[in-house]
Amino acid sequence: MQNALTNQISNSPISDKGVSKEQQKHVLVINRIEASDNYFLLNEDGTPYKKLTLQMSSGRASSARISPDKKYLTYNSYEAKESPGCMLKSPPDCPPNTYGLKIKNLSTGEESSIIKPSSDSASYTYWSSDSRYIAYSVGNKTFLYNPVSKDSTQIASFIVSDSVPPFPVFWLPDSSELYLSDGTNIYLYSLSSKQLQKITSGNIAQITYDKKYLVVSRQNDGLYLANNEGGVKKITDKHFGGILNNTHKLVYSQFIQARPGAQNPSPDDKFSLFLYDLDNNQETQILSGISVNYYLSVDGSKIAYQDYLAPEQGKLQLIDANSGAKTKFGAGNETGQIIDWQ
């Protein structure tokens, strides 16, 4: 299955040649109140990169993503629809909430809709590494959006039940193809041939920067490594976090409750974060805490995290992915949720 994949694309790594220093800056999108619209673009040292104001008459913004070239910001818009007394009716009869996707030009400040608000829930946006396209899903359909022409093109339509959420889309490093899933199988879509090809079973797939390793996540069954003959080898039962860019290192996590089924976390609960080296099959535990949120840096050198119940009280911290050394983010006082890192 993957044999066809490796035959279709070049194995050369992506080069930064021709990219300006401004475009090589790594910028974080910070949401200081989770699930609301308080967004800030910060440099990795904690200093402001660009002031951000979103144009919304009401409702909330969530899941913001910045394009790799730092020219655009996309986000999910949420509008709550209410009418007086609707919740007092039996059954409640309130107007449906609406969801959409918006894009903001960070140079001009112009905002426009990728998807106008509707009752259908849209997925996150997934930028190609060359910033030419945005992949997103609405219901069982997946689309590509061109931020220059402002056109959307449907690339896939799957038969799935309403209970199956849109799964993450992963672009190949050279932006030539992307992985999609219907919840049961993984497909590869080629931008040049406009063809959708089944690769293997699973719900998430991601490939290393040099296309040497394809990692597949199977719902409730752990992570697998796919080989060129289409076979798979199980790596772990833990939860997929991603592959550190420009490396062969896999990140995954495990959370074990001291009292299974307890509603509130306790100091005895353990969240652990692991690095797995695909070259030598070596696992290293790099973090353990109670209630941890983490995010991978785009260059593969760092992992940002917060332990909400630790004495740090949710302050952002960094781990060096190679040495395991921990440092504060910026001056050490920054809080909020990292939701994108380019």
Side-chain angles (χ1 to χ4, degrees):
M1 285 179 256
Q2 199 201 350
N3 205 19
L5 162 70
T6 54
N7 288 337
Q8 288 176 11
I9 55 180
S10 166
N11 285 315
S12 58
I14 304 303
S15 171
D16 285 333
K17 184 178 180 181
V19 179
S20 68
K21 289 184 178 180
E22 179 71 5
Q23 291 178 349
Q24 290 182 36
K25 290 178 67 174
H26 300 303
V27 180
L28 299 87
V29 181
I30 303 291
N31 189 352
R32 289 195 177 140
I33 301 178
E34 194 171 349
S36 70
D37 52 2
N38 296 282
Y39 288 101
F40 300 84
L41 304 187
L42 304 178
N43 294 311
E44 285 184 352
D45 62 3
T47 58
Y49 173 77
K50 188 180 290 289
K51 184 178 179 180
L52 185 61
T53 303
L54 303 181
Q55 299 171 357
M56 293 187 302
S57 57
S58 64
R60 295 291 187 183
S62 64
S63 311
R65 299 286 185 264
I66 189 171
S67 61
D69 63 7
K70 317 302 186 296
K71 292 181 179 180
Y72 298 97
L73 185 93
T74 53
Y75 63 93
N76 293 64
S77 61
Y78 164 77
E79 301 286 338
K81 303 293 184 181
E82 297 181 1
S83 63
C86 68
M87 291 301 296
L88 300 178
K89 298 179 181 180
S90 182
D93 184 18
C94 300
N97 296 328
T98 59
Y99 305 84
L101 291 177
K102 289 190 175 183
I103 183 168
K104 180 182 181 72
N105 186 311
L106 295 177
S107 297
T108 66
E110 176 192 4
E111 287 195 37
S112 58
S113 292
I114 299 174
I115 303 174
K116 293 185 177 180
S118 71
S119 57
D120 293 327
S121 184
S123 75
Y124 296 160
T125 50
Y126 299 93
W127 283 94
S128 60
S129 60
D130 59 9
S131 300
R132 294 181 60 194
Y133 295 101
I134 301 162
Y136 67 92
S137 298
V138 178
N140 64 338
K141 296 180 174 62
T142 302
F143 300 83
L144 289 185
Y145 178 83
N146 184 321
V148 177
S149 67
K150 300 183 179 180
D151 292 327
S152 286
T153 303
Q154 182 178 315
I155 62 171
S157 178
F158 298 118
I159 301 174
V160 296
S161 66
D162 293 338
S163 61
V164 176
F167 290 103
V169 170
F170 282 103
W171 286 88
L172 269 69
D174 59 6
S175 302
S176 65
E177 298 172 291
L178 60 159
Y179 291 109
L180 315 170
S181 175
D182 61 2
T184 302
N185 296 305
I186 291 167
Y187 300 83
L188 183 71
Y189 178 82
S190 168
L191 271 69
S192 59
S193 69
K194 297 180 172 56
Q195 296 296 313
L196 196 65
Q197 175 189 3
K198 180 181 173 181
I199 300 298
T200 185
S201 61
N203 59 293
I204 298 174
Q206 189 174 0
I207 201 166
T208 55
Y209 73 102
D210 55 0
K211 310 173 185 73
K212 183 176 181 179
Y213 298 106
L214 177 65
V215 177
V216 174
S217 174
R218 293 182 172 174
Q219 217 169 16
N220 304 318
D221 193 32
L223 302 180
Y224 290 78
L225 186 64
N227 61 32
N228 289 338
E229 288 72 42
V232 292
K233 179 184 75 172
K234 191 165 187 176
I235 299 174
T236 178
D237 285 319
K238 301 181 180 74
H239 301 291
F240 184 56
I243 297 172
L244 286 170
N245 288 1
N246 302 315
T247 75
H248 291 157
K249 293 182 179 179
L250 180 64
V251 180
Y252 47 73
S253 62
Q254 183 179 36
F255 184 77
I256 303 174
Q257 283 186 293
R259 295 183 293 277
Q263 293 185 344
N264 299 315
S266 73
D268 297 325
D269 294 341
K270 295 297 180 183
F271 173 96
S272 295
L273 194 65
F274 301 85
L275 284 185
Y276 184 88
D277 193 317
L278 293 164
D279 290 327
N280 57 28
N281 302 318
Q282 182 177 349
E283 178 186 84
T284 304
Q285 181 176 325
I286 61 171
L287 179 66
S288 182
I290 300 174
S291 179
V292 178
N293 174 61
Y294 70 97
Y295 209 92
L296 313 181
S297 74
V298 70
D299 65 356
S301 66
K302 304 179 188 71
I303 299 172
Y305 74 96
Q306 298 159 291
D307 194 342
Y308 290 108
L309 301 183
E312 299 299 336
Q313 296 297 316
K315 293 178 182 176
L316 289 168
Q317 302 183 71
L318 301 177
I319 300 178
D320 186 293
N322 295 307
S323 68
K326 299 177 182 179
T327 58
K328 304 291 185 184
F329 174 78
N333 297 317
E334 183 66 50
T335 60
Q337 183 188 19
I338 292 179
I339 55 175
D340 198 16
W341 195 346
Q342 292 286 357

